[in-house]
Amino acid sequence: MFLRTSTCKSTESYYDKIDRLKNELKTADAIVIGAGAGLSTSAGMSYSGERFEKTFADFHQKYGINDMYSGGFYPFETLEEYWAWWSRHILVNRYEAGVGKPYTDLLELVKDKDYFVLTTNVDHQFQLAGFDKKRLFYTQGDYGLWQCSKPCHSRTYDNEDAVRQMAAEQKDMKIPSELVPHCPICGAPMNVNLRCDDTFVEDDGWHKASERYNDFIRRHENLHILFLELGVGANTPVIIKYPFWRMTVKNLKAVYACVNYGESFCPKEITSQSICIDDDIGKVLSQLLE
């Protein structure tokens, strides 16, 4: 149990911190990247504002939905409306987003290192950027997969072709009824494979990725390891933030780095082992490459 958090205040300047993080990236025996929504936001994938209005102005006008995140929880009356929303959401955030520069910069920084990525992001950006799939653990699912809503079995299914067809053929914020996806086993409606409740399916790929991550941590637990946390907020701190803090406390050789605009902090217990940078992630990653 940590006593309190700190903003990592020190006499170090911003550029001193950049230099120290550069050195850690070069000298660490291993790097564990913990990535949250802030990394994709820095890459331009905002769920609100102009980007939201461009794709969902009609949903905003009819239902009063103000951003993509809250829209995912809207109680649409029909599956035709539900999938009109989600097909657009998945298309713009998974299949047509393109790769964000912060992701390609991050890969350039760690590509020659022994690294692993733990992320709550579901937008596939790491794989689009070229990260090794076997060094990624998407804990919360993937926009590109769907599952049985019950769920009656633990398999997931690729959805790109169906999503593109839904997005292309919808009218008046509804898809044709014949495009509503149903489970091939029990016939129940399908859902996007996202951890929203206890129906989330952890398929074989999820479990294998979990095993690889845990094995990576075991093999490096007493070495000089850099826990690089990027854009992790307060929604799910038990997945990345708290474990990174605990592992840093247990290993005096470990360093915890937090880069997050407006939310860069650490526990008092690891202040001396921490580098906290309160700034835009994309800007920081770009400067680390200089």
Side-chain angles (χ1 to χ4, degrees):
M1 195 69 183
F2 297 104
L3 296 179
R4 64 180 180 86
T5 58
S6 164
T7 55
C8 295
K9 290 181 179 178
S10 71
T11 57
E12 282 185 302
S13 70
Y14 170 83
Y15 290 103
D16 287 336
K17 292 178 181 181
I18 292 291
D19 287 341
R20 191 148 67 96
L21 184 50
K22 276 186 183 180
N23 184 62
E24 291 298 329
L25 286 163
K26 291 178 182 178
T27 61
D29 296 316
I31 300 170
V32 180
I33 298 164
L39 180 57
S40 287
T41 299
S42 179
M45 296 178 67
S46 171
Y47 277 20
S48 60
E50 182 180 351
R51 188 168 181 267
F52 167 74
E53 287 294 337
K54 182 179 179 181
T55 306
F56 293 107
D58 50 353
F59 279 89
H60 170 68
Q61 183 177 359
K62 181 175 180 178
Y63 300 105
I65 298 170
N66 292 313
D67 61 80
M68 295 188 209
Y69 181 79
S70 61
F73 296 94
Y74 191 89
F76 295 107
E77 292 185 1
T78 69
L79 289 172
E80 287 81 2
E81 292 170 293
Y82 174 88
W83 283 111
W85 167 274
W86 273 107
S87 59
R88 284 194 220 174
H89 184 110
I90 295 168
L91 190 69
V92 72
N93 290 303
R94 173 68 165 76
Y95 295 122
E96 294 187 348
V99 61
K101 186 176 183 295
Y103 284 90
T104 56
D105 284 351
L106 179 60
L107 179 60
E108 186 66 24
L109 286 167
V110 303
K111 65 182 182 180
D112 297 323
K113 300 294 294 187
D114 192 5
Y115 74 85
F116 204 100
V117 176
L118 175 69
T119 183
T120 55
N121 294 346
V122 295
D123 52 25
H124 208 65
Q125 281 287 303
F126 281 102
Q127 282 172 263
L128 287 175
F131 282 79
D132 182 352
K133 184 178 179 180
K134 293 184 177 179
R135 293 177 179 267
L136 300 174
F137 181 21
Y138 286 84
T139 65
Q140 306 298 80
D142 187 330
Y143 281 147
L145 301 174
W146 54 37
Q147 60 166 80
C148 176
S149 60
K150 282 192 173 180
C152 72
H153 65 299
S154 59
R155 181 180 170 186
T156 58
Y157 301 83
D158 292 337
N159 64 25
E160 182 172 3
D161 290 344
V163 163
R164 290 187 180 278
Q165 187 177 4
M166 288 178 187
E169 296 187 19
Q170 63 182 257
K171 294 179 181 179
D172 300 322
M173 290 169 281
K174 293 181 180 180
I175 67 165
S177 297
E178 62 269 21
L179 296 184
V180 172
H182 292 88
C183 174
I185 306 299
C186 73
M190 298 293 261
N191 271 348
V192 188
N193 181 229
L194 302 176
R195 191 187 297 277
C196 300
D197 54 35
D198 60 4
T199 64
F200 175 69
V201 165
E202 297 173 356
D203 63 9
D204 288 344
W206 190 98
H207 285 287
K208 288 176 181 177
S210 177
E211 290 171 6
R212 288 193 293 267
Y213 172 70
N214 289 324
D215 180 64
F216 187 92
I217 295 298
R218 282 193 298 270
R219 289 187 289 108
H220 298 90
E221 61 183 354
N222 294 316
L223 300 179
H224 175 191
I225 187 165
L226 171 63
F227 294 102
L228 179 59
E229 182 189 300
L230 302 171
V232 176
N235 284 345
T236 52
V238 297
I239 297 173
I240 296 173
K241 189 178 293 291
Y242 293 170
F244 278 18
W245 290 353
R246 287 194 295 268
M247 289 186 284
T248 302
V249 165
K250 292 179 181 179
N251 180 2
L252 293 178
K253 297 178 184 177
V255 171
Y256 168 73
C258 176
V259 184
N260 202 354
Y261 188 62
E263 293 187 68
S264 183
F265 56 88
C266 70
K268 178 182 178 182
E269 290 87 342
I270 61 170
T271 300
S272 63
Q273 293 172 259
S274 298
I275 305 168
C276 295
I277 302 177
D278 183 352
D279 213 322
D280 177 72
I281 299 168
K283 171 187 170 184
V284 171
L285 293 175
S286 180
Q287 290 181 331
L288 289 169
L289 284 170
E290 294 177 357

